[in-house]
Amino acid sequence: MTEQTTHIDVGQSKILNLDADDQGNFIAFTDNKTVVTNDYNLKIEIDLRFPIIRRLDNDTFFIADSRTEKDNNGYIFKFSGQLVKSFLAGDGIEDIIVHRNKIIITYFDEGVYGGDGPNGDGLAVFDFEGRQEFGVNSSAGDMVIADCYCICKHGTNRVLFYAYTDLKVFELNLDTFKIESCETPSDFSGASAISSTADKIIFHSSYHDKRSFFSWDRNKNEVIKFGDYSPGLTGIKNGKFLIYGDSGYTIINPTE
């Protein structure tokens, strides 16, 4: 297992949310309403209880409040500080990833069962204008997702997500919105983080083992438990995971 830790100069403030990749690119939001990236440091006038921030492209970023009373809680800003768009991103947001020029938002059970809005879909896909293009539950015609535990990018145009109640891994093609489900071993039931390599899916933390990694070879249907790390990881690309603190972040590669 290898770890690469990056310190971010945020002064006396603390990081409330952060996203990063394995190439050293990051975006963070602090408790004094400052957005910090490799190239930018700007304040935005916005009040969020539970912020989640993601970079969209070189010019814009997306920030959302995980909870809402059906008011707009998703905001697209330029790095100049200009607000471009606000829209209802849904209540009970679990995670957000940006892939294939789309914003993919997942929701936990309080959001899914919380009433009208994209949260009822369990997983919703938006374009960079805030328009919803797809929702899992409404497209499937029944309840596929009651609680989306974790999600990750997979290849150039897909995402993998692991969801309750079936506790299956689903693969969503972001070009066609076709979903494939996989009969999933129970070894890592309740996993809270997922990442993928070319031939394996890596999970971290389960209902019964909060610290181990699990490598699942789908072709062989073989699961190997290995490693040890504290809970709270988020899966990123290439079998790697992310965890952040008040003033920095660490990228973990459990298979090295």
Side-chain angles (χ1 to χ4, degrees), residues 145-159:
I145 302 175
D147 191 325
C148 193
Y149 283 4
C150 49
I151 187 172
C152 71
K153 300 175 185 178
H154 183 61
T156 59
N157 67 338
R158 289 164 291 159
V159 296

Side-chain angles (χ1 to χ4, degrees), residues 87-196:
F87 63 95
L88 178 63
D91 182 43
I93 296 175
E94 176 68 32
D95 200 1
I96 301 171
I97 63 174
V98 178
H99 194 35
R100 200 70 171 177
N101 293 322
K102 300 182 189 301
I103 303 167
I104 303 101
I105 302 180
T106 65
Y107 306 90
F108 53 84
D109 52 358
E110 288 184 28
V112 175
Y113 293 105
D116 295 337
N119 38 279
D121 275 315
L123 182 153
V125 180
F126 300 83
D127 65 15
F128 283 7
E129 298 295 324
R131 294 183 290 254
Q132 185 175 350
E133 296 185 336
F134 177 78
V136 170
N137 287 342
S138 58
S139 298
D142 56 11
M143 182 65 68
V144 174
I145 302 175
D147 191 325
C148 193
Y149 283 4
C150 49
I151 187 172
C152 71
K153 300 175 185 178
H154 183 61
T156 59
N157 67 338
R158 289 164 291 159
V159 296
L160 297 176
F161 61 93
Y162 179 66
Y164 183 81
T165 59
D166 287 344
L167 294 180
K168 289 182 179 179
V169 171
F170 298 84
E171 183 174 314
L172 171 63
N173 186 310
L174 294 172
D175 293 331
T176 64
F177 296 128
K178 180 181 178 182
I179 300 177
E180 296 181 2
S181 65
C182 308
E183 290 300 326
T184 304
S186 61
D187 305 57
F188 44 82
S189 289
S192 61
I194 183 174
S195 186
S196 68

Side-chain angles (χ1 to χ4, degrees), residues 10 20 30 51 73 77 87 90 117 120 144 146 167 187-188 201 205 227 237 241:
V10 292
T30 72
N73 63 319
F77 281 89
F87 63 95
V144 174
L167 294 180
D187 305 57
F188 44 82
I201 304 175
S205 189
K237 293 178 68 176
F241 294 81

